[in-house]
Amino acid sequence: MRTPLPRPRGPLAPAAGLLATALVLSGCQEVQTSAPAEETADVTAVTLDGRTITEGGDLVMALSAEPDVLDPTTSSSLYTRYVMETMCEKLYDIDESGEIVPMLATELPEVSDDGRTVTFPIKEGVRFADGTPFDAEAVKTSIERHLTKEDSSRRSELGPVEEVTALDDSTVEITYETPFAPLTAVLADRAGMIMSPTELEKAGDDFGEHPVCVGAFKFVDRVPQTSITVERDPLYYDAENVHLDTITYRIITDASIRSANLRSGDVQVADSLSTQDLAELESADGVGLLEVGSLGYQAMTVNVGNTDGVGAPPGEIDTPIAKDPRVRQALSMAVDREQLVKSVFNDRYDPACSPVSPASPFSSDASEACPEYDPEGAKALLEEAGADVPYEIEIKVTNTPDTLRLAQAVQASVADGGFELTIVPVEYSSLLEVQEQGDFDLLQLGWSGRVDPHGNMFNFLSTGAGNNYSGYSDPEVDELLTQAATVIDPAERAELYGQVVTKVQADNPIIYLYRTRSMTGYADEVAGISTYADGVVRLSNAAFVEPAEG
């Protein structure tokens, strides 16, 4: 039986505004935990309005995990997006309401009548941090790199591109084999980050060691497992609205230590706070909190065919959970999502069984349906499949206290359904490599979410796609996802994504668990900070400010 999930709390619904910015109408993240709290509205920003800015200064942000490579083409971590936000602007971005807005582009794309040719203008008079002019040829170079680099994570995001053309210095044209509705949303993420062609030619595959883009800040250095530092870029086109001298991202993986550093003043911003620390933070002087619902999800990925790494043809894995969908269905049925949210997160987060957020305009009854918790039914499925009961399996998770608490709760939940989970903690950046290489049977990580469902589904579920860590391959799903990307009508797209969810819930290469709320703490000596539904903490216009009156 499949039952509908409740709608999420908080005003994520304005994401419906993305319909006006979808093409024709138009990081992976480790877990966070929660403690008792009343339902709260989203607070997406602390603005500079009415504040007296103190120019300059060095801001420190406590970052909850080590980012992967600082390369827009190959990176897959949410935490990399935090850092790149200050250094590598995109063609488009989202605002606090989930609307897609121009960034390095100056207008939303124009689309030909047949939907296959997309044209957009870009800013003029802009320079990269190394002085190279930003122009249409540079945009063409970056997009073509995303499409052709062997280890690109962006290729499948960009759809069936035939050609990228610089019509003149400030106009870009992309030609498609078939219409591709999600393009604008795709260009509001890493695929829309434009890299200096001079640095690309110089560094090649090593671009991520010293990234050069257009941004309020430019790269200074990186100390592995410790920190990343950026400094104000004097060549930035909007330099007058950049106030800090430097930003240092300090890697602090323990949420309680991030909280303590925020309260002590050793850091001015901290991401992914555990709400176990909220009561202490809310009672502390000089500390504020941003909180926003997520378009993403937390999930368990089952390795059903990732034998040679992401992007390689799926192989055979000779285990019951990889070979028999009944075993995976049993695991999904054995997870009590409602109780998980209540016991681990004290009902602050929302159970989820789908990559489509109920707040999305592309949501449907099918995409909101959830398998009923049925431990006895799970055991019966295991027996029907001829699997051992209890069925023993390892689950690899990040080695943070919050994630280990989650894993233990899942372990206890599925035991009643006939599963014996062994928890294997792994450092976050190493876990990203583990999922890329397919060195797992079961793995827990999440996705921070995109405004268009294509960004939450195609790359993870279509055959050979850049984030298909499970090695899942199903021709019907491939066809449905491809068709959904060509469709203009939102209701028709929603229907197609609902069909995908129904199929995926039968196959369960990914077992969706719940949706988080992004919680970012800040010292009240800073402002100009925001966190939107894509989960990214934005610091490009942050500043130290004088104490507010009153």
Side-chain angles (χ1 to χ4, degrees):
M1 176 179 178
R2 286 151 33 90
T3 55
L5 289 173
R7 290 273 177 175
R9 294 181 289 267
L12 259 183
L18 72 92
L19 288 178
T21 54
L23 214 200
V24 186
L25 293 175
S26 72
C28 290
Q29 175 184 15
E30 61 178 322
V31 70
Q32 307 162 27
T33 64
S34 180
E38 296 180 359
E39 294 182 9
T40 55
D42 289 351
V43 179
T44 59
V46 53
T47 71
L48 291 168
D49 294 346
R51 306 299 297 272
T52 301
I53 295 171
T54 301
E55 293 291 344
D58 307 312
L59 183 144
V60 180
M61 176 177 176
L63 199 59
S64 56
E66 168 91 357
D68 62 355
V69 62
L70 300 176
D71 186 327
T73 302
T74 61
S75 68
S76 60
S77 165
L78 168 65
Y79 311 100
T80 303
R81 294 169 70 212
Y82 289 173
V83 179
M84 300 296 275
E85 182 275 331
T86 61
M87 293 190 299
C88 289
E89 288 195 349
K90 302 165 291 187
L91 292 166
Y92 298 95
D93 199 7
I94 71 165
D95 64 14
E96 67 277 5
S97 298
E99 299 269 4
I100 299 177
V101 294
M103 198 173 198
L104 287 174
T106 58
E107 301 287 344
L108 295 175
E110 292 186 3
V111 185
S112 62
D113 290 342
D114 64 2
R116 293 181 54 243
T117 302
V118 183
T119 308
F120 55 88
I122 60 172
K123 292 183 184 295
E124 300 182 62
V126 172
R127 292 188 174 273
F128 292 95
D130 61 1
T132 301
F134 169 79
D135 57 18
E137 281 293 339
V139 174
K140 171 182 163 70
T141 297
S142 284
I143 294 177
E144 288 181 340
R145 182 177 190 259
H146 294 328
L147 292 167
T148 60
K149 195 173 190 306
E150 185 176 350
D151 57 347
S152 172
S153 295
R154 311 282 85 82
R155 184 185 302 110
S156 53
E157 293 177 359
L158 281 160
V161 174
E162 274 190 346
E163 186 178 9
V164 184
T165 306
L167 296 181
D168 55 41
D169 285 349
S170 60
T171 311
V172 179
E173 179 182 271
I174 302 178
T175 306
Y176 275 90
E177 295 175 14
T178 56
F180 185 66
L183 177 62
T184 315
V186 170
L187 296 178
D189 193 39
R190 277 174 284 223
M193 292 181 182
I194 309 304
M195 299 162 278
S196 165
T198 302
E199 185 63 23
L200 283 175
E201 184 175 358
K202 174 181 169 184
D205 289 347
D206 295 328
F207 177 86
E209 295 181 9
H210 192 281
V212 178
C213 302
V214 175
F217 293 80
K218 60 181 180 178
F219 179 80
V220 176
D221 63 22
R222 178 174 191 166
V223 181
Q225 304 296 326
T226 303
S227 66
I228 298 172
T229 302
V230 298
E231 66 182 4
R232 186 198 313 232
D233 180 10
L235 298 180
Y236 181 55
Y237 64 89
D238 192 28
E240 65 181 19
N241 288 312
V242 180
H243 309 289
L244 299 170
D245 292 324
T246 69
I247 300 172
T248 298
Y249 296 89
R250 187 181 299 167
I251 315 303
I252 303 177
T253 58
D254 190 302
S256 63
I257 297 176
R258 290 196 300 280
S259 175
N261 274 260
L262 183 63
R263 296 196 311 274
S264 70
D266 288 337
V267 305
Q268 290 78 47
V269 182
D271 82 299
S272 303
L273 294 172
S274 169
T275 52
Q276 295 185 57
D277 299 318
L278 279 188
E280 209 168 2
L281 285 169
E282 289 171 344
S283 64
D285 292 334
V287 174
L289 182 72
L290 305 180
E291 181 176 352
V292 62
S294 173
L295 291 168
Y297 55 80
Q298 292 288 331
M300 297 186 294
T301 299
V302 184
N303 191 347
V304 299
N306 183 359
T307 56
D308 297 304
V310 170
E316 284 196 18
I317 299 174
D318 191 21
T319 61
I321 197 166
K323 293 176 66 174
D324 196 325
R326 291 173 295 183
V327 178
R328 301 191 295 274
Q329 185 180 1
L331 182 57
S332 179
M333 291 165 60
V335 179
D336 187 345
R337 292 168 177 81
E338 295 280 356
Q339 185 59 33
L340 191 73
V341 166
K342 290 177 181 176
S343 63
V344 181
F345 311 117
N346 291 311
D347 220 16
R348 182 122 188 163
Y349 296 163
D350 295 291
C353 298
S354 163
V356 183
S357 166
S360 168
F362 301 105
S363 181
S364 66
D365 289 344
S367 68
E368 291 182 40
C370 193
E372 185 177 11
Y373 170 60
D374 184 1
E376 292 304 317
K379 284 182 181 177
L381 270 179
L382 287 175
E383 292 170 358
E384 180 185 312
D388 292 335
V389 179
Y391 186 87
E392 298 180 5
I393 187 169
E394 288 186 348
I395 180 169
K396 294 186 176 180
V397 303
T398 55
N399 60 352
T400 62
D402 286 351
T403 307
L404 292 174
R405 281 191 287 272
L406 169 72
Q408 289 161 2
V410 172
Q411 182 185 54
S413 177
V414 302
D416 290 339
F419 289 87
E420 185 176 316
L421 259 62
T422 298
I423 300 167
V424 180
V426 180
E427 189 273 327
Y428 173 70
S429 59
S430 297
L431 192 61
L432 294 179
E433 295 178 8
V434 163
Q435 71 172 357
E436 289 258 356
Q437 296 164 1
D439 185 20
F440 67 94
D441 294 316
L442 183 65
L443 176 145
Q444 195 284 312
L445 274 172
W447 180 242
S448 54
R450 303 296 184 267
V451 293
D452 190 294
H454 179 87
N456 299 334
M457 301 176 75
F458 190 92
N459 233 24
F460 295 87
L461 297 168
S462 62
T463 302
N467 296 120
N468 190 339
Y469 306 117
S470 67
Y472 179 61
S473 178
D474 184 272
E476 181 184 350
V477 169
D478 291 347
E479 173 60 28
L480 286 169
L481 287 172
T482 300
Q483 184 182 352
T486 69
V487 169
I488 298 173
D489 180 60
E492 188 177 348
R493 288 189 74 196
E495 167 66 22
L496 291 166
Y497 288 128
Q499 292 180 43
V500 173
V501 170
T502 300
K503 186 71 171 67
V504 169
Q505 287 181 351
D507 293 341
N508 286 293
I510 301 174
I511 298 172
Y512 303 95
L513 299 175
Y514 65 93
R515 304 188 200 284
T516 67
R517 290 180 68 79
S518 298
M519 298 181 186
T520 305
Y522 63 92
D524 64 5
E525 63 179 316
V526 296
I529 303 162
S530 58
T531 304
Y532 301 153
D534 63 356
V536 176
V537 180
R538 290 162 165 80
L539 298 179
S540 289
N541 298 115
F544 287 96
V545 293
E546 294 183 7
E549 294 183 6

